[in-house]
Amino acid sequence: MSAGAMVGAADATDVLILGGGLAGLTLALELRQRMPGLRVTVVERRMHPVREGAFKVGESTVEIGAHYFSQVLGLREHLDAEQVRKFGFRFFFSEGSEAIDRCTELGVSQLLPTSSWQIDRGRFENFLGERARALGVDFRDASVVRGIDIDAVGGHLATIEHDGATRSIRARWVVDASGRAGLLKRKLGLARDNAHHINAAWWRVEGRVDPNDWSQDPQWLQRCDPPDRWRSTNHMCGPGYWFWLIPLASGAHSLGIVCDAGMHPLETINSHDKAMAWLREHQPQVARTLESPGHALLDFGFLRDFSYDCKQVFSANRWALTGEAGVFLDPFYSPGSDFIAIGNGYICDLVEKEFAGRSIDSYVTLYERLFRSFYDNTLTLYQDQYRLFGDAQVMPVKIIWDYTFYWSLLAPLYYAGRLTDIGMLGRLGPQFERAATLNTAMQALLRDWGERNTGALVRHGAMLDQYRIEWFRELNRALGDRLDDAAFQARIIDNVVRMQWLAAEILARARRTHSDIDDRGLEALLVGDERHRSLGAAWYADEDAAAEADAA
């Protein structure tokens, strides 16, 4: 039976959300908070409550997603009480190593001012479902979408099956939050490749996996205060890959291999036995821990070529896509919840304007262009860069640059609630363009630098402590500042100047090793005093001492 054959029996709603996972339920909450009288229906194929500990990947949050959950949606109490406060990202350049305390470590020695969390997705989505129902959302779990008709004139119509019975729902708006099922994407032919070919395998185990258990060196153990490396999103890095360790509040630990398809074929990691064999070769300390008692396997999954694009995510015909139903980048910097936050914010703004009787055509065009810009600029951080991941000289510099790019532009815009501030976006357009040009040139320079580094991996036991970089710590803290228009505009301009200083410094450092390296157009973009040590004397002391030790 087609959806159109059931028009007379249709239920009615204002916004129908196809999918009750992280993207769909948070969108429902945001819509109800912004428009309490709005009828919102969420259709989710899984029955609630879902299991904890081994439900979905995508457990690490960074600043935008964390702010969305904690402040925009008001869920800070749950996050503090029921999830794990994250100790930042931490990177170990540990390919083949049996001694993590002799590997280069990049991370913070103390918590940065702005909070983020490790999310047990099962626990969180159960909580979101309960909260949605409490706010009046019609949340229909254990329900399957059997058909969807898009009709911009008469209203969209979906056919839903629940417990063997079929009903239809007519909606003014429909939002696809169905994840990789991509119901609207497939129906409307919106899928698009992004030329970022990366594979992944992941699994969860019982018990905590703590990097501190791998060393008896008291000096190494006391580098962090508190000494809780286990709370970080730990990245074990090597050429063409990284391996994640993420703690979950339910007592499990999330693990995953993410790798360049050309360097580490999926067929080498697409079963638990293969993944463990791969770990024994590339990260033997991790493998040995996982093979010890107390780490029973909870689940296993894998994906081929998991990064993708989408031709369109917002439409003036009152449909939209959010979360993995639209686009997915790369988990290295955990941007998934960021793009949920951004996409949901634009959808809510469009729904609010349309229900107020305003034309949304121009807004759809603008928000689509902005969302596309955020996606394209973020993609540059990952695309064709996996060969760098084992380089303990270049990769720490790249990570500092990538953080700076994120905290200088997109994160401040989101924290300030200015993603829909058209006047401010227009005034800052030249700054965004300049920063994007700088970033594109910098990613090319970093790639060239890594390709020229053909020597042995650096493994010297130094900690490159991001917390000791004062301006870097301040960029993170300043995200929470409340600024008027003039001060906000000045802040973004200052941030771009900082990026220029940092770019000049990175270029100079690259030329210390490779004097003839191409500047990739950076010199024409740079301003400021090239003697300005943006990374700080402490950073250079660590790096230079390590280089001297390696030479000896």
Side-chain angles (χ1 to χ4, degrees):
M1 180 180 296
S2 70
M6 303 186 63
V7 173
D11 297 336
T13 192
D14 295 320
V15 181
L16 173 61
I17 301 172
L18 309 178
L22 186 62
L25 287 171
T26 53
L27 175 61
L29 293 180
E30 188 175 2
L31 285 167
R32 287 289 295 180
Q33 288 175 192
R34 291 175 63 155
M35 293 166 277
L38 196 73
R39 296 173 299 172
V40 179
T41 300
V42 177
V43 177
E44 166 57 30
R45 66 181 179 87
R46 292 182 175 88
M47 181 180 292
H48 272 226
V50 299
R51 67 182 296 194
E52 294 186 350
F55 179 53
K56 294 178 182 176
V57 287
E59 298 117 328
S60 171
T61 65
V62 286
E63 283 74 19
I64 290 176
H67 184 74
Y68 181 53
F69 298 147
S70 64
Q71 302 302 318
V72 176
L73 299 181
L75 308 180
R76 177 72 188 247
E77 182 178 351
H78 167 84
L79 294 168
D80 284 339
E82 301 294 335
Q83 306 292 347
V84 175
R85 172 74 189 272
K86 180 175 166 181
F87 200 173
F89 285 131
R90 194 169 302 279
F91 306 85
F92 295 99
F93 298 90
S94 52
E95 161 68 16
S97 176
E98 295 276 2
I100 194 169
D101 52 10
R102 303 311 306 153
C103 297
T104 301
E105 176 183 1
L106 173 68
V108 290
S109 59
Q110 300 177 50
L111 286 168
L112 289 172
T114 302
S115 301
S116 58
W117 292 268
Q118 314 285 19
I119 302 293
D120 185 304
R121 288 287 297 274
R123 178 175 294 187
F124 196 43
E125 291 183 24
N126 286 336
F127 169 76
L128 292 175
E130 293 169 1
R131 189 172 182 91
R133 285 181 168 134
L135 288 179
V137 173
D138 180 9
F139 179 35
R140 306 187 186 188
D141 62 328
S143 299
V144 180
V145 178
R146 295 300 185 192
I148 178 74
D149 287 346
I150 300 298
D151 184 348
V153 178
H156 313 302
L157 195 68
T159 305
I160 310 299
E161 182 180 323
H162 172 74
D163 200 19
T166 302
R167 293 190 62 82
S168 59
I169 304 175
R170 183 175 294 283
R172 183 163 183 82
W173 278 81
V174 63
V175 180
D176 187 0
S178 63
R180 290 176 181 267
L183 299 176
L184 282 185
K185 180 187 279 188
R186 288 189 288 109
K187 181 178 180 66
L188 300 176
L190 299 175
R192 182 161 64 187
D193 181 66
N194 66 1
H196 181 46
H197 301 300
I198 304 296
N199 301 324
W202 65 90
W203 61 106
R204 267 64 65 105
V205 298
E206 293 179 351
R208 181 184 300 171
V209 181
D210 187 350
N212 280 6
D213 292 340
W214 303 337
S215 175
Q216 301 300 315
D217 181 347
Q219 183 177 1
W220 186 85
L221 292 170
Q222 293 166 16
R223 280 177 178 171
C224 297
D225 181 22
D228 294 345
R229 285 181 172 92
W230 67 271
R231 289 198 285 128
S232 298
T233 299
N234 285 296
H235 297 61
M236 319 301 290
C237 299
Y241 77 89
W242 61 284
F243 176 81
W244 83 66
L245 299 105
I246 298 174
L248 305 178
S250 53
H253 222 93
S254 176
L255 314 164
I257 302 166
V258 187
C259 48
D260 183 287
M263 300 179 69
H264 300 272
L266 182 64
E267 289 70 26
T268 63
I269 59 171
N270 63 356
S271 72
H272 182 247
D273 287 344
K274 290 179 181 179
M276 287 301 299
W278 187 95
L279 277 180
R280 291 185 202 103
E281 176 182 356
H282 296 284
Q283 295 291 337
Q285 277 196 312
V286 179
R288 191 162 54 248
T289 296
L290 298 180
E291 290 170 333
S292 65
H295 297 300
L297 182 67
L298 297 175
D299 72 337
F300 183 87
F302 63 89
L303 275 174
R304 183 189 301 275
D305 207 14
F306 61 76
S307 181
Y308 51 82
D309 199 350
C310 185
K311 297 175 184 176
Q312 182 180 358
V313 294
F314 312 124
S315 172
N317 289 331
R318 303 189 309 279
W319 58 259
L321 286 69
T322 187
E324 292 187 36
V327 300
F328 188 79
L329 282 157
D330 188 294
F332 187 71
Y333 292 123
S334 304
S337 55
D338 284 12
F339 277 82
I340 288 172
I342 294 165
N344 283 359
Y346 282 137
I347 292 167
C348 287
D349 191 74
L350 292 170
V351 170
E352 200 167 26
K353 284 180 167 61
E354 197 272 332
F355 270 88
R358 300 174 62 180
S359 171
I360 61 172
D361 292 40
S362 61
Y363 291 100
V364 165
T365 300
L366 174 62
Y367 295 167
E368 186 76 31
R369 180 166 57 83
L370 289 168
F371 189 86
R372 167 64 45 203
S373 173
F374 303 149
Y375 176 89
D376 289 343
N377 279 289
T378 306
L379 182 61
T380 65
L381 310 185
Y382 314 108
Q383 196 169 39
D384 300 323
Q385 299 292 54
Y386 265 59
R387 291 183 180 274
L388 289 175
F389 281 20
D391 191 319
Q393 180 187 39
V394 178
M395 197 61 189
V397 175
K398 172 176 163 52
I399 290 166
I400 291 289
W401 172 266
D402 293 348
Y403 271 101
T404 302
F405 184 44
Y406 174 62
W407 287 346
S408 293
L409 298 162
L410 185 54
L413 273 177
Y414 187 81
Y415 271 68
R418 295 179 182 271
L419 286 181
T420 58
D421 185 343
I422 295 173
M424 180 62 70
L425 291 168
R427 290 192 293 276
L428 289 175
Q431 301 301 319
F432 297 141
E433 184 176 348
R434 188 171 190 83
T437 303
L438 272 170
N439 177 61
T440 299
M442 178 55 62
Q443 297 301 331
L445 173 70
L446 292 165
R447 189 159 50 246
D448 292 348
W449 188 359
E451 288 175 355
R452 286 168 173 251
N453 283 356
T454 56
L457 290 174
V458 178
R459 183 172 295 132
H460 49 64
M463 179 173 180
L464 303 177
D465 186 358
Q466 297 162 321
Y467 191 85
R468 293 167 68 184
I469 307 172
E470 185 176 351
W471 66 262
F472 186 79
R473 190 171 69 247
E474 174 61 16
L475 263 183
N476 178 270
R477 186 213 60 77
L479 292 174
D481 287 350
R482 293 292 171 260
L483 305 173
D484 62 22
D485 284 359
F488 182 78
Q489 186 171 348
R491 171 71 56 81
I492 297 298
I493 292 170
D494 287 346
N495 288 349
V496 175
V497 171
R498 168 65 69 183
M499 288 180 63
Q500 292 172 307
W501 282 344
L502 182 58
E505 186 172 315
I506 292 172
L507 177 59
R509 298 295 287 188
R511 285 181 166 168
R512 279 182 53 176
T513 309
H514 308 288
S515 60
D516 62 339
I517 197 167
D518 192 327
D519 76 317
R520 291 291 190 161
L522 280 170
E523 288 183 335
L525 300 169
L526 301 182
V527 298
D529 184 354
E530 291 192 8
R531 295 170 298 172
H532 180 84
R533 294 168 73 84
S534 295
L535 293 180
W539 176 282
Y540 286 119
D542 287 342
E543 186 187 64
D544 293 341
E548 290 173 8
D550 290 333

